[in-house]
Each structure stands twice: as structure tokens, then as C-alpha cells.
Amino acid sequence: MKYYEKIKTTPIKKDAIILGIETSCDETAVAIVRAGREILADEIISSATEHAKYGGVVPEIASRSHTEAILTATENALKNSGLNKDDIDAIAVTEGAGLLGALLVGVSFAKSLAFAWNKPLVPVSHIRGHISASYLADKDLKPPFITILCSGGHTAICEVKDYYTLKVLGSTIDDAVGEAFDKVARVLSLPYPGGPNIERLAEKGQNNIKFPKMLANNYEGSEFDFSYSGLKTAVINYVHRAEQLGQQIVKEDVACSFQHSAIDVIVDKAEKALKLTGYKTLAVSGGVGANGYLRKALKDRFSGKIKLVIPEKRYCTDNGAMIASEGYLQYLNGNFADLTLNAKAVVPIK
Ligand code: KG4
Ligand code: ZN
């Protein structure tokens, strides 16, 4: 019997142990998670320092680094979990969105592993993976809830209606919030990755420059949509204008004021989404969820009023555990791929 014909008939186990593989950007991440909630092993090998030399992720370097790291990450995950290959029930892998060459390394490796170990192969959306990190953070979390997805590639507010149904209330009409952090970091000559470096600088600054809060009001689309391109341009113009006039800028203040403008709209829109839906739970997902100012602003606004789920910083940024957690949900539904699975640079938020 062919691989997939056999796999299709695999009995589904409620307490399944899933090995999750993530290679969409610059983290080679492999984790092992039981029943979508319990992390048994979690390995991340990052190539960020390689990219820092060039000021941003270089796709070719990312792909090569994944190729070099993926076997070690998988072996270490298995060793640290204390399990062996027979204990693994399925292999989940990020199929998209992300850098195509980088994704291909994970997808090809996952296909080989699934075939060699004779396990189901479960394709996972990176976006859904970020959202599922909240199930790792709070073992009792159940839909429905609102999630604010804020990463380097996406910014959206979604209703998680049930484990499988997402409704996008609004999303960015141009840049993502993480992208804005990274681009502003560049103009302030901060090294890659920009987000954490802006945050560190902002801690020493004042919110005393009036940058726009894009789409805060008076916009004809969804009141939950975002826009970051204008804010980014406003910061770039501010810095260039000062340079032309030979004026000194206070980088700390620029970082702090930008951070307020970028983040405050997210917190405001999250509150509106809670009001609209009547949901009593708010979860955060994506790399910008690691931002200390956002985390504090959410706690200040919502603590004691609703249930707030903020994953540990490690599980906001890219990791394998979120892919294993989302992979478990897809596994329960029998959403298996055959060995023709391919990587996708873009996937819709759904
Ligand atoms: O979710 P993620 O790891 O990858 C994507 O799926 O995009 O998000 C990466 C993004 C980058 O833009 C990075 O600058 C941003 O998250 N980020 C932060 C922080 N940590 C990571 N942004 C602001 N503050 C942080 N502490
Ligand atoms: Zn991500």
C-alpha cells in the first residue's frame, strides 16, 4: 500500500504526541507537544546573528542555515523529550506563509521523516500556529475568544469562534506592525531584529513626538483595519528632516513615540472587538506580542475585567511548539497531506 493510502486510515488518538517543525523565517524550530497543550521538548536554532550583518533576513542564508540545523534540532528535541520515534503520532510542518526557500527545507524534511517513520504528515498554517500558541500558554483556554495577531508579516484582529473557525474582523491594509518596527529600527541604525532593539531604546525615551495613530478613526473600511505604512513614513521623514537641518534627534524619544503610536491602536481596537462580540477572553499572538510595552498596556487595560492570555515571549516569536499545537487540531480532523505537499509563500488568514 502506498504511504498516503495507509496513513489515511491511521486511528486518531486524543492524547496524540505531535512533532512540529517550523522553518518559515530565520528560526529552525522543532518541538514535541502532547495533546496540543503539553510541551515535551522545544528546540530553536536561530540564524538571526548571520542576518544581522546585512540588516535584515537574507533568504538564501536562512535556507542554508535551516539545512544545517534541522537534523540537530530534531535529534535534540527527541532526545530531550525522553521519547523515541515510535512515540510520535504525527509530523506537523509549517507549509506557509513565509520565505519559500526556507519553508521548503522544513517541508522536505518533514515529508522525508513522515515517510521514513511511517507517520501522518500534517500541514500547518504559520498564522494559525501563532494563534495556537495561546493554547500552550493557558491550558484551559477554549474558544470563543478574540486574538490580536501581530507579527512581522501580519497584523489582524480575529474572532476565534471555535478551534477551526476564524473570522477576521480587520487586518492591515499595508505593512504589518512588526515590519514597521523593523523598518523604523533601520532608519535609527539599530541592528536586526528591529523590534526588541526599538523596545530597549524606547525604555529610555519619552513619548513626546506626535506621530500619527493610523486608522484610529475616520476610515471608511473596517474599524478593525490597521495601517502602518504612513506611520513608518512619518518617522522616516522626521529623521531625514532633522538630518537635512543638521539637528540632533533624540533616538530614544523617536523609538518611544513610534512605539506608542504603533501599539496604542492595537489595544484600542482589541477593546472595541471585545465590546462588539461580547467575548470575555483576549489572546495575543505573533512576534510583536513579545513587546513589553504592548504586554503592559494590555494588562493595564484589561486585567481583572476579562481573561487575558499573553504567551511567554518565546512562544510569541516563531517556535515549533505552536506548530505542533495547531498540528494537533488538524490531526484530530484527519487533515493529512501526501508527499506532494509543497511550500506556500502566502496563505490566507483563515
Ligand atoms: O512572529 P514573528 O516571530 O515572525 C513572523 O511571523 O513574522 O515576528 C517577528 C516580528 C519582527 O518584525 C520583530 O521585529 C517583531 O516580531 N518583534 C518585536 C519584538 N520581538 C519581536 N517587535 C516589538 N517588540 C519586541 N520585543
Ligand atoms: Zn511568525
Side-chain angles (χ1 to χ4, degrees), residues 126 130 151-153 178-179 181-182 193-196 199 286-288 290-291 316-318:
H126 185 79
H130 271 303
S151 69
E179 195 180 346
F181 268 87
D182 294 336
E199 180 184 347
V288 182
N291 181 271
C316 289
T317 48
D318 292 347

Side-chain angles (χ1 to χ4, degrees), residues 39-101:
I39 299 171
L40 305 176
D42 173 30
E43 295 295 313
I44 300 179
I45 300 174
S46 175
S47 58
T49 48
E50 286 297 308
H51 304 290
K53 294 175 208 158
Y54 304 96
V57 175
V58 181
E60 181 53 35
I61 294 178
S63 309
R64 202 166 340 115
S65 305
H66 288 311
T67 311
E68 285 164 9
I70 194 142
L71 192 57
T72 310
T74 307
E75 282 174 347
N76 287 351
L78 208 54
K79 193 170 75 198
N80 294 338
S81 69
L83 303 174
N84 69 57
K85 69 177 176 57
D86 299 330
D87 300 314
I88 306 293
D89 293 298
I91 314 290
V93 63
T94 306
E95 62 169 337
L99 301 170
L100 208 47

Side-chain angles (χ1 to χ4, degrees), residues 38-272:
E38 187 193 349
I39 299 171
L40 305 176
D42 173 30
E43 295 295 313
I44 300 179
I45 300 174
S46 175
S47 58
T49 48
E50 286 297 308
H51 304 290
K53 294 175 208 158
Y54 304 96
V57 175
V58 181
E60 181 53 35
I61 294 178
S63 309
R64 202 166 340 115
S65 305
H66 288 311
T67 311
E68 285 164 9
I70 194 142
L71 192 57
T72 310
T74 307
E75 282 174 347
N76 287 351
L78 208 54
K79 193 170 75 198
N80 294 338
S81 69
L83 303 174
N84 69 57
K85 69 177 176 57
D86 299 330
D87 300 314
I88 306 293
D89 293 298
I91 314 290
V93 63
T94 306
E95 62 169 337
L99 301 170
L100 208 47
L103 287 163
L104 271 171
V105 178
V107 168
S108 309
F109 184 80
K111 287 201 280 193
S112 315
L113 205 58
F115 182 71
W117 288 1
N118 212 10
K119 312 280 181 190
L121 175 66
V122 182
V124 169
S125 145
H126 185 79
I127 300 164
R128 293 192 69 99
H130 271 303
I131 295 171
S132 284
S134 296
Y135 299 126
L136 299 165
D138 184 326
K139 308 267 178 282
D140 301 320
L141 175 64
K142 289 188 181 69
F145 58 89
I146 297 291
T147 192
I148 45 177
L149 169 68
C150 32
S151 69
H154 299 90
T155 309
I157 294 197
C158 306
E159 269 183 69
V160 182
K161 286 176 166 281
D162 59 48
Y163 287 110
Y164 298 97
T165 317
L166 282 184
K167 180 178 173 195
V168 181
L169 293 174
S171 62
T172 181
I173 59 168
D174 42 54
D175 294 353
V177 59
E179 195 180 346
F181 268 87
D182 294 336
K183 287 179 176 163
V184 166
R186 269 184 100 128
V187 81
L188 294 178
S189 311
L190 299 174
Y192 173 85
N197 286 313
I198 293 267
E199 180 184 347
R200 264 191 290 280
L201 201 65
E203 277 161 19
K204 293 176 245 146
Q206 306 278 327
N207 176 24
N208 57 10
I209 307 165
K210 259 207 145 356
F211 291 130
K213 289 188 177 163
M214 305 305 293
L215 302 194
N217 300 300
N218 304 327
Y219 166 63
E220 285 173 5
S222 161
E223 62 175 329
F224 298 107
D225 281 347
F226 296 91
S227 165
Y228 283 100
S229 152
L231 171 60
K232 167 197 71 186
T233 308
V235 177
I236 293 172
N237 286 347
Y238 178 89
V239 173
H240 287 172
R241 197 177 125 80
E243 270 168 15
Q244 279 160 5
L245 294 172
Q247 292 169 348
Q248 277 289 329
I249 58 160
V250 183
K251 282 189 183 180
E252 289 79 358
D253 292 349
V254 176
C256 181
S257 305
F258 160 75
Q259 187 170 259
H260 272 79
S261 286
I263 299 289
D264 291 351
V265 284
I266 299 178
V267 181
D268 290 345
K269 288 181 192 239
E271 186 166 24
K272 281 187 191 165

